[in-house]
């Protein structure tokens, strides 16, 4: 089973979240995880993946320009239906609590739905998410005045999403 994590990151917050997601996915036996910054991510790898997880910093409540430009290159995959029934998940970081986490994640989900992908979120039954409530994926606030780039709870949520995506993908691909 192959999972591709693609991220855009400027201040390293989103990179750290992407790495925690990859760690969580690797915990599931039989999972090969590939992780790339959007500047080196290969759109041609996507057709060979079972699951795709992408994320970025939220820029005014929407996708960063780097990831948006990369996503806009996926038209031929859409035209050929190459991503239909692939598992998809999203993540983002923002500097402020109300900095557009949910709006950014919804904007990240939309291209996946256009591709015919099956979206996996993070349910409230996961203890670290019960009160945090990041159900569309993982959205983490990383205040610029904090001594830590990303909170330990944010990293735990990242690992939880990676593990959930790998487990759902494993179940889904086993039944094909």
């Amino acid at each position: 089973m192959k999972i591709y994590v693609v991220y855009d990151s400027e201040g390293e917050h989103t990179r750290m979240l992407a790495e925690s997601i990859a760690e969580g996915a690797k915990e599931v036996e039989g999972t090969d995880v590939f992780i790339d910054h959007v500047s080196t991510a290969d759109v041609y790898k996507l057709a060979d993946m079972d699951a795709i997880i992408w994320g970025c910093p939220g820029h005014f409540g929407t996708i960063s320009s780097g990831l948006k430009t990369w996503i806009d290159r996926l038209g031929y995959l859409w035209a050929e239906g190459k991503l239909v029934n692939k598992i998809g998940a999203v993540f983002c970081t923002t500097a402020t609590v109300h900095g557009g986490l949910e709006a950014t994640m919804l904007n990240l989900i939309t291209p996946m739905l256009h591709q015919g992908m099956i979206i996996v979120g993070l349910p409230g039954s996961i203890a670290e998410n019960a009160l945090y409530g990041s159900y569309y994926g993982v959205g983490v606030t990383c205040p610029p005045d904090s001594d830590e780039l990303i909170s330990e709870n944010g990293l735990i949520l990242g690992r939880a999403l990676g593990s959930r995506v790998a487990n759902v993908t494993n179940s889904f691909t086993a039944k094909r």
Side-chain angles (χ1 to χ4, degrees):
M1 170 178 60
K2 297 179 185 176
I3 297 177
Y4 199 11
V5 179
V6 177
Y7 69 94
D8 191 9
S9 187
E10 297 153 2
E12 300 305 305
H13 310 347
T14 314
R15 176 191 58 80
M16 289 180 72
L17 183 56
E19 289 172 352
S20 72
I21 291 166
E23 286 172 24
K26 287 177 187 176
E27 292 173 3
V28 176
E29 188 176 331
T31 304
D32 292 321
V33 179
F34 307 87
I35 181 169
D36 283 321
H37 184 274
V38 72
S39 64
T40 59
D42 184 356
V43 297
Y44 297 102
K45 284 183 180 179
L46 295 177
D48 294 329
M49 297 297 145
D50 298 299
I52 301 157
I53 307 169
W54 62 46
C56 63
H59 286 185
F60 306 107
T62 194
I63 306 170
S64 67
S65 63
L67 187 58
K68 178 68 169 91
T69 298
W70 187 82
I71 290 170
D72 286 346
R73 294 177 51 217
L74 306 182
Y76 83 95
L77 292 167
W78 172 82
E80 296 178 8
K82 297 285 188 182
L83 303 184
V84 171
N85 291 334
K86 305 265 186 207
I87 303 298
V90 301
F91 61 98
C92 75
T93 60
T94 59
T96 59
V97 175
H98 300 288
L101 287 171
E102 287 186 351
T104 301
M105 286 190 285
L106 290 170
N107 282 308
L108 287 166
I109 288 170
T110 301
M112 290 182 166
L113 292 170
H114 279 256
Q115 293 283 354
M117 296 173 68
I118 300 164
I119 309 303
V120 172
L122 199 59
S125 60
I126 294 172
E128 294 79 14
N129 200 37
L131 296 176
Y132 196 75
S134 188
Y135 309 114
Y136 304 108
V138 173
V140 178
T141 302
C142 303
D145 60 351
S146 174
D147 291 337
E148 59 186 3
L149 283 175
I150 188 169
S151 69
E152 183 57 33
N153 192 63
L155 296 173
I156 290 169
L157 289 169
R159 288 189 291 273
L161 180 66
S163 176
R164 178 165 160 73
V165 168
N167 281 309
V168 168
T169 304
N170 190 34
S171 295
F172 188 74
T173 57
K175 294 179 181 175
R176 282 189 193 170

